[in-house]
Amino acid sequence: MSQVTEHGGGVWSIQVPIPDNPLGHTLVHVLDTDRGPVLIDTGWDDPASWTELSDGLAALGTSVRDVHGVVITHHHPDHHGLSGQVREASGAWIAMHAADTAVVRRTRESEPATWLEYLARKLTTVGAPEEHIAPLLAARSGGRTRTLPGLRSAVPDREIVPGELLDLAGRRLRAIWTPGHTPGHVCLHLEEEHPARLPGHGRLFSGDHLLPGISPHIGLYEDPDDATVTDPLGDYLDSLERIGRLGVAEVLPAHQYAFADAAGRVRELLDHHEERLTGLLGLLATPLTPWQLAERMEWNRPWEQIPYGSRNIAVSEAEAHVRRLVKLGRAEAAEGTDPVAYVAV
C-alpha cells in the first residue's frame, strides 16, 4: 500500500523508498495545478521506487502519464533520480537551478575513471591513508564505474530562477536559492494561505535544506576543473537565516515529516553548527589534516564502524568546516605540512 499523505490545499506527499539507506525514503510532493499535477522531486532511480511513485499517484486518481512538470530541489539521486523516467512517460518538463544543472551535465559528460582519479587525488591531499585510496584506483583500472549513481541523470529543460514565481497555472510557488547542501539547492515557497489557517506566510517545500530532526550533509562543491575555494558551510548558514526570516506557517521537507516553527528549527541548526565549530577548534589545538579531524569528530557511530563511502562524505564535511574556520580567521594551515594540516589560531 503506497504511503500517501494529504497536506491540504492540493498538496500531497508520497513516500518513495531509497534502497539501502537509513533515511528510508524521499517525500515526493505532488502539487495540483490547473494544467495537471506537478512533482517536487521524484525519488531514487530504482524499480521499487518507481513502483511506489506510480502507485502513489494512482491512489490520488492520477498517473505518471498525467504529470505536467517536475521541480527539483537539488540534483542528488534520491531527489532527481526518477525525473528522466517521469519525463519519458509524460512529456513533463524538468526544472532545476542552473548551478545544479551544471553538476548534472558535468557528471554525464565526464568519464567515470577521470572522476575516480580526481577523488583519489583529493583524498590524498586531505591525508587519507593509502589503504583507503587503493579501492578507488582498483575500480578505475578494473572499469567498475558504471554503477555510480547520477551517471545518467536527466538534463533539465527549464531553469529555476531565484526570486521568481514558477510557471504553475493557478499556484504561487516562488523559488528561493539556498546553497549549502548543493550549490544549486532551492527551497520553494508556496505563497498561499495555509489550508488549516495556521499562522504564518504560506508553506515551504524545503528539500534537504531544513529538516525537522537531522542536519543535512554540508560537504565541498566538487568540480575538478574549478580551483575556486568555496565555503559551502558559510553558504548554508546564510541560507538558513534567509529561510528563517520568511515566517512560513509550515515546512514540507523531503525527508522525515512536516513541521511548524521553521524559525525555531533554524535557530537550533545555527546553534548546532556554532557548537560544532567551537568543538573542532578544540581538536585543532594540535595540527590535524582534514582526514585526521574527521576521525576525531562526533558522528552517529564510531569511526571504525563508518562504511567506506560514508567516510568520503565525512571527510568532505570535515574539510567544509575547516574552510569555514579559516575564512573566519579562527584556523589556518600549519606551515610546512604535507598533506596540509590545520591548527586553531
Side-chain angles (χ1 to χ4, degrees):
M1 188 69 179
S2 296
Q3 298 296 311
V4 178
T5 300
E6 182 174 2
H7 297 281
V11 177
W12 298 263
S13 61
I14 302 170
Q15 292 185 12
V16 177
I18 311 171
D20 302 318
N21 189 294
L23 277 175
H25 57 263
T26 301
L27 293 173
V28 173
H29 288 94
V30 183
L31 183 64
D32 191 26
T33 80
D34 291 346
R35 297 193 188 106
V38 167
L39 303 184
I40 298 176
D41 293 333
T42 57
W44 192 277
D45 184 4
D46 180 80
S49 305
W50 176 258
T51 297
E52 287 297 319
L53 178 62
S54 301
D55 290 351
L57 289 168
L60 298 177
T62 185
S63 73
V64 174
R65 294 187 304 276
D66 298 325
V67 172
H68 172 62
V70 175
V71 182
I72 300 298
T73 61
H74 61 295
H75 72 83
H76 285 166
D78 56 324
H79 297 258
H80 182 44
L82 287 172
S83 300
Q85 280 185 253
V86 171
R87 182 166 61 189
E88 288 173 11
S90 64
W93 47 261
I94 302 172
M96 183 184 286
H97 187 282
D100 271 19
T101 296
V103 175
V104 171
R105 290 185 184 277
R106 185 168 68 243
T107 304
R108 288 174 59 97
E109 294 166 3
S110 298
E111 283 294 326
T114 303
W115 170 251
L116 290 174
E117 288 175 9
Y118 165 77
L119 186 55
R121 290 196 308 272
K122 179 70 177 169
L123 287 165
T124 300
T125 64
V126 298
E130 288 185 14
E131 59 266 25
H132 185 84
I133 299 170
L136 291 173
L137 301 178
R140 179 201 62 187
S141 60
R144 299 191 305 274
T145 57
R146 287 295 163 189
T147 59
L148 294 173
L151 291 178
R152 55 193 182 97
S153 295
V155 177
D157 39 57
R158 290 192 182 185
E159 180 180 341
I160 295 176
V161 180
E164 291 190 2
L165 289 171
L166 279 77
D167 181 21
L168 303 183
R171 309 306 298 249
R172 288 187 59 85
L173 189 68
R174 191 176 304 277
I176 304 169
W177 185 35
T178 50
H181 185 56
T182 71
H185 191 290
V186 293
C187 292
L188 301 153
H189 188 191
L190 189 61
E191 298 178 340
E192 302 169 8
E193 184 178 41
H194 192 281
R197 299 186 181 274
L198 295 181
H201 182 39
R203 291 180 280 180
L204 185 76
F205 299 100
S206 64
D208 282 2
H209 183 70
L210 190 62
L211 303 170
I214 54 178
S215 176
H217 164 68
I218 308 297
L220 299 185
Y221 302 151
E222 302 287 9
D223 182 352
D225 300 320
D226 188 350
T228 303
V229 178
T230 58
D231 178 21
L233 181 55
D235 294 342
Y236 177 67
L237 297 176
D238 290 344
S239 300
L240 271 181
E241 292 184 346
R242 190 158 58 251
I243 289 300
R245 292 192 291 267
L246 283 178
V248 297
E250 188 177 28
V251 179
L252 302 174
H255 303 288
Q256 299 191 300
Y257 49 86
F259 64 100
D261 193 15
R265 181 59 181 147
V266 164
R267 286 193 300 272
E268 289 177 357
L269 287 166
L270 292 172
D271 290 345
H272 161 75
H273 283 285
E274 183 56 37
E275 290 171 8
R276 194 166 207 196
L277 289 169
T278 301
L280 297 188
L281 283 174
L283 294 174
L284 292 174
T286 302
L288 297 172
T289 66
W291 183 273
Q292 292 169 329
L293 185 61
E295 289 179 316
R296 291 160 174 79
M297 289 170 67
E298 289 189 16
W299 305 104
N300 60 0
R301 69 190 88 176
W303 182 257
E304 295 73 23
Q305 298 176 19
I306 295 178
Y308 179 90
S310 297
R311 289 189 179 191
N312 294 337
I313 295 172
V315 75
S316 178
E317 186 152 332
E319 193 171 6
H321 279 73
V322 167
R323 285 195 184 181
R324 186 65 188 153
L325 289 171
V326 170
K327 185 166 185 177
L328 293 172
R330 297 160 75 179
E332 64 184 9
E335 190 173 347
T337 55
D338 183 21
V340 177
Y342 296 86
V343 64
V345 176

